[in-house]
Amino acid sequence: MAAASTTITRTLLLFSSFKTSLTSSSSSFHNFPKLPFSPFKTTTSTYTYCCYHSSTQSQSQSSPPPRLNNNNNVIEILQQRGLIESLTSPDLHDAVVSSSPLKVYCGFDPTAESLHLGNLLGIIVLSWFHRLGHHPVALIGGATARVGDPSGKSLERPDLDLDSLRRNTLGIQSTIATILSGNSVILNNYDWWKEVKLLDFLKDVGKYARVGTMMAKESVKKRLESEQGMSYTEFTYQLLQGYDFLHLYKNEGVRVQIGGSDQWGNITAGTELIRKVLQVEKGAYGLTFPLLLKSDGTKFGKSEDGAIWLSPAMLSPYKFYQYFFSVPDSDVVRFLKMLTFLEMEEIGELEREMGRVGYVPNTAQRRLAEEVTRFVHGEEGLMEAIKATKALRPGAETKLDWETIEGIAEDVPSCSFKYDQVVNVQLVELSVSAGLFESKSAARRLLKQGGLYLNNSRVDGEDKRIEAEDIVDGKVILLSAGKKNKVLVRIS
């Protein structure tokens, strides 16, 4: 078959003006024609299915999804919440309310041990599809991570050694399974790419790729115009991701790929490859959602300061909660729509309350922090975060214990002293030795202003000395200068 070049039209949120009924044959999406080639030994591949339920967290997604009906159009819901930027075809609007649920996939390259807040949107969109009766698939890029996606990057990604890839894959796999409570299939594209032969791939897949089309992709154009340019390895990434979609469409019945707006070129590479190889004009769809940006307009990433990791091993539930609790008023409503599953009516009421006299500051932020923390870390993680937040607030009446303090140990500066270096030492002197203040005069000045705290209790006397009972459970002391600056003193 001649590999004809076709122009892809980017469809921007233009729904509801028309609807077309799908034919009965279009719902039988598991019966695909066989590929005219077999560079991958798909009959002997072993897929990494991880459809298990996490017993460590309680998640709302574990309840059975509602039945599909015309009032459960996931595309309309995502559009209403600002979670759709583009679709490859408006036909997806009707396909999601057909009689057959759709399989929908999102890819995650294991370039770090944890996913970050930018990846959370993909998981949330997958969860919305699941809640409305569809079947989410998470694809770990065990193969594509060895190449590196150039989308949105100004420099080529550094190479990852095999041990790092395995460790990252396990970490991300665990995070996804935990957040989605086992309500998804998790695959690894290395399971089919490990059998590929270069010559077979060039002959059977490469012939369908038009170089002009590949170079016209936005991610490629930007890199080619940059001083660093683009390597051939990165240039081929869109073909690899495109083939993933083809493979999943043919072998797993996956009909929809979702991704951030920077993935548009990679997603359309897949829909085009399906059209050309399988000669299927309709049935494969792509959906992109807006990138989640910081307040300064930059994309959340793993290499920048202040990255918001999803793994509790890399960012505690307490600090995760605190991030959302402290977002500015200008962002909180947008985040409530995009990052939570609250009803739009409730979000609207919270927004109206913010403009009323007597509104308690951070009420909306508190609700945002609770909902997102519960989704990512479960009820147990949320309770841990709330307990730490209450207990660690200077002046709080909640009594501190060693376990609560250890919960934030990775998030605050700490130091160690021997027992006799602490007991009977003046608090002002210990505060300087621990690094909370640069000088005793600065410590005394804040103490007089009522801003120096020992284990959350305000200290009023300059002559206060540390006593044995001040050491929490005989192990730690928490010093605070104001509400935010803290130092953990460990007793050895």
Side-chain angles (χ1 to χ4, degrees):
M1 182 184 72
S5 177
T6 301
T7 302
I8 294 291
T9 300
R10 192 162 181 163
T11 306
L12 299 178
L13 306 180
L14 299 176
F15 313 122
S16 73
S17 60
F18 61 90
K19 282 191 176 181
T20 58
S21 60
L22 300 176
T23 64
S24 58
S25 61
S26 66
S27 62
S28 302
F29 57 85
H30 291 287
N31 301 319
F32 301 110
K34 292 184 177 180
L35 280 172
F37 58 86
S38 56
F40 305 97
K41 299 178 181 179
T42 54
T43 57
T44 60
S45 295
T46 302
Y47 298 135
T48 308
Y49 284 90
C50 301
C51 307
Y52 58 87
H53 181 80
S54 171
S55 60
T56 60
Q57 295 193 2
S58 172
Q59 303 282 358
S60 58
Q61 303 94 299
S62 59
S63 58
R67 295 177 58 187
L68 286 174
N69 57 63
N70 289 333
N71 296 323
N72 283 338
N73 191 311
V74 66
I75 300 301
E76 293 179 355
I77 290 174
L78 294 175
Q79 178 188 5
Q80 186 181 28
R81 304 182 81 95
L83 285 170
I84 292 182
E85 180 156 314
S86 305
L87 298 174
T88 57
S89 170
D91 292 342
L92 182 57
H93 184 271
D94 289 319
V96 296
V97 291
S98 67
S99 59
S100 299
L102 299 178
K103 288 187 177 181
V104 184
Y105 99 91
C106 186
F108 304 91
D109 275 354
T111 54
E113 290 186 60
S114 171
L115 299 176
H116 54 83
L117 190 56
N119 302 121
L120 184 58
L121 282 181
I123 299 176
I124 286 174
V125 174
L126 286 180
S127 185
W128 271 116
F129 271 95
H130 169 71
R131 286 163 182 257
L132 297 179
H134 303 286
H135 305 307
V137 176
L139 180 64
I140 308 295
T144 43
R146 303 177 187 217
V147 173
D149 184 2
S151 302
K153 298 295 178 183
S154 58
L155 295 173
E156 188 166 356
R157 295 178 185 270
D159 292 335
L160 291 172
D161 59 78
L162 294 182
D163 287 341
S164 296
L165 276 173
R166 293 189 189 99
R167 183 172 59 253
N168 295 350
T169 297
L170 289 174
I172 290 174
Q173 180 176 290
S174 175
T175 297
I176 294 172
T178 299
I179 295 177
L180 293 179
S181 295
N183 293 318
S184 67
V185 171
I186 301 179
L187 304 177
N188 188 331
N189 64 10
Y190 184 68
D191 289 336
W192 54 84
W193 278 108
K194 63 185 179 183
E195 304 293 342
V196 70
K197 294 181 180 180
L198 176 61
L199 293 180
D200 289 338
F201 181 75
L202 292 176
K203 177 173 69 73
D204 297 324
V205 177
K207 69 180 181 181
Y208 292 103
R210 307 266 63 86
V211 174
T213 302
M214 293 176 67
M215 293 184 68
K217 303 291 186 184
E218 192 65 26
S219 61
V220 174
K221 287 196 299 183
K222 287 184 177 180
R223 286 293 297 277
L224 291 178
E225 293 170 358
S226 69
E227 185 176 338
Q228 291 78 17
M230 171 180 275
S231 69
Y232 173 75
T233 300
E234 287 185 300
F235 183 62
T236 63
Y237 186 93
Q238 57 183 287
L239 283 183
L240 306 186
Q241 185 168 327
Y243 185 81
D244 282 341
F245 196 3
L246 172 65
H247 177 92
L248 292 172
Y249 183 99
K250 175 181 179 291
N251 295 284
E252 302 293 334
V254 174
R255 295 182 63 190
V256 184
Q257 180 182 178
I258 66 170
S261 58
D262 61 345
Q263 293 297 306
W264 177 259
N266 294 334
I267 291 173
T268 54
T271 55
E272 277 294 276
L273 199 57
I274 291 169
R275 184 185 66 81
K276 292 176 181 178
V277 174
L278 301 182
Q279 302 182 43
V280 176
E281 291 297 329
K282 294 184 178 181
Y285 305 99
L287 177 158
T288 63
F289 43 82
L291 299 179
L292 194 60
L293 304 178
K294 293 182 178 180
S295 57
D296 60 4
T298 60
K299 179 182 173 182
F300 276 103
K302 298 182 290 293
S303 60
E304 302 171 7
D305 293 335
I308 310 303
W309 302 103
L310 305 187
S311 168
M314 297 184 68
L315 189 74
S316 70
Y318 163 75
K319 198 156 189 177
F320 186 86
Y321 178 95
Q322 287 298 314
Y323 169 77
F324 289 100
F325 188 77
S326 62
V327 300
D329 287 349
S330 58
D331 287 338
V332 67
V333 173
R334 179 169 59 93
F335 278 17
L336 281 166
K337 292 177 181 178
M338 299 178 73
L339 299 177
T340 79
F341 299 90
L342 294 176
E343 295 290 341
M344 291 295 287
E345 292 79 5
E346 184 175 354
I347 296 174
E349 179 58 28
L350 284 169
E351 185 175 16
R352 287 188 290 272
E353 284 183 12
M354 292 175 66
R356 292 172 182 159
V357 176
Y359 170 74
V360 179
N362 285 355
T363 298
Q365 282 86 342
R366 179 177 292 106
R367 191 62 191 277
L368 172 67
E370 290 173 354
E371 293 298 318
V372 182
T373 304
R374 181 185 290 112
F375 180 67
V376 174
H377 295 293
E379 196 67 36
E380 184 178 340
L382 174 60
M383 291 301 101
E384 175 189 327
I386 291 176
K387 179 182 178 183
T389 298
K390 290 180 178 179
L392 297 173
R393 186 175 64 249
E397 296 180 359
T398 306
K399 184 178 180 181
L400 285 176
D401 56 47
W402 174 76
E403 185 178 343
T404 300
I405 293 177
E406 278 297 308
I408 65 155
E410 295 182 359
D411 304 322
V412 299
S414 64
C415 58
S416 296
F417 290 101
K418 293 181 179 179
Y419 182 85
D420 57 8
Q421 292 177 310
V422 173
V423 175
N424 207 34
V425 173
Q426 279 194 335
L427 175 62
V428 168
E429 182 179 341
L430 180 62
S431 299
V432 175
S433 300
L436 187 61
F437 296 99
E438 294 183 357
S439 65
K440 293 181 181 180
S441 60
R444 292 191 182 97
R445 185 163 52 250
L446 188 62
L447 187 150
K448 290 178 180 179
Q449 296 171 356
L452 182 58
Y453 293 83
L454 171 63
N455 297 329
N456 283 348
S457 296
R458 188 170 65 188
V459 178
D460 297 318
E462 291 186 35
D463 297 330
K464 166 64 181 174
R465 291 180 180 272
I466 303 298
E467 302 174 41
E469 52 265 32
D470 293 325
I471 304 175
V472 178
D473 295 338
K475 298 178 180 180
V476 292
I477 292 174
L478 184 66
L479 303 178
S480 304
K483 293 183 178 181
K484 295 184 177 180
N485 297 324
K486 304 177 187 295
V487 170
L488 182 64
V489 178
R490 299 180 185 275
I491 309 303
S492 60

